[in-house]
Amino acid sequence: MNFNHIVMDNWSRKPYFEHYLNNVRCTYSMTSNIDITRLLSELKNKGIKLYPALIHMITTVVNRHSEFRTCFDSEGRLGHWDSLSPSFTIFHDDDKTFSSIWTLYGEEFGDFYSRYLADMKMYGSVKQFAAKANEPPNTFPISSIPWVSFTGFSLNVYNEGTFLLPIFTMGKYFQHDKKILLPLSGQFHHAVCDGYHASMLYNELQLRADTYKDWLHNN
């Protein structure tokens, strides 16, 4: 878990970072539908839960690009983590509240899925905001709103606009033109990533959904 400090004068993104952090502090949201038709069918056949599969997909793509791992550390220094793990919400149906749990990321889905199931068994019924303690600093948030198929979703984060990591929110999947589509919204900070980077993330997520056999083979 290394945090790599960015030397601003050697960083090609310096003028964009300074503009979108100091002059026009700017975050933006992008929502796109991910085609999960074949992925969902395969998960059902194998008895694998959709939510952790999507969490792993998102985290895998995020970890491939330093733009999505760039943030300030606890001392206010700019840099990027070698790797991020997901911090995700779970819903308590009895009282309609939610909790946040984190699971250590690993590229092998089978290992991650086992840790997810263990975390859910241990902390899934804990009724507090942070159900699993000792969350490491190198996590990013993922949540789900599985009751509605939204076409757009925007978060308003009031922390002086210095939270640089992406935030992802899934919606309810739906059928359209014989496809199963899942809306996924990403909140991004313009200081560290542009529309190009966000677009590539969604394209890579779709590719990962299409090539599910490559990473579900060990389950």
Side-chain angles (χ1 to χ4, degrees), residues 3 5 71-79 81:
F3 187 76
H5 297 133
C71 62
F72 294 106
D73 67 7
S74 59
E75 298 181 18
R77 297 171 297 185
L78 183 68
W81 295 102

Side-chain angles (χ1 to χ4, degrees), residues 80-123:
H80 64 266
W81 295 102
D82 282 344
S83 176
L84 294 178
S85 290
S87 176
F88 51 92
T89 59
I90 59 170
F91 186 69
H92 304 297
D93 192 60
D94 55 349
D95 62 0
K96 314 306 179 189
T97 61
F98 72 92
S99 297
S100 179
I101 294 178
W102 61 275
T103 292
L104 183 67
Y105 172 75
E107 190 169 348
E108 289 293 329
F109 174 70
D111 294 338
F112 173 81
Y113 189 60
S114 295
R115 289 192 294 273
Y116 168 90
L117 293 177
D119 283 335
M120 288 297 295
K121 183 178 181 179
M122 180 72 69
Y123 307 105

Side-chain angles (χ1 to χ4, degrees), residues 163-210:
F163 187 84
L164 304 181
L165 295 176
I167 304 173
F168 294 95
T169 306
M170 308 173 196
K172 178 182 179 181
Y173 64 76
F174 62 97
Q175 185 167 341
H176 179 71
D177 288 341
K178 298 182 180 180
K179 295 180 180 180
I180 304 297
L181 304 177
L182 181 134
L184 177 67
S185 174
Q187 187 87 8
F188 307 97
H189 203 300
H190 213 339
V192 293
C193 64
D194 306 320
Y196 167 80
H197 305 100
S199 300
M200 291 302 99
L201 180 140
Y202 282 104
N203 290 339
E204 290 183 27
L205 280 174
Q206 184 60 67
L207 179 61
R208 193 149 182 86
D210 293 340

Side-chain angles (χ1 to χ4, degrees), residues 121-132:
K121 183 178 181 179
M122 180 72 69
Y123 307 105
S125 60
V126 176
K127 295 293 186 65
Q128 57 189 50
F129 180 79
K132 182 182 178 182

Side-chain angles (χ1 to χ4, degrees), residues 48 92 214:
I48 299 173
H92 304 297
D214 295 342

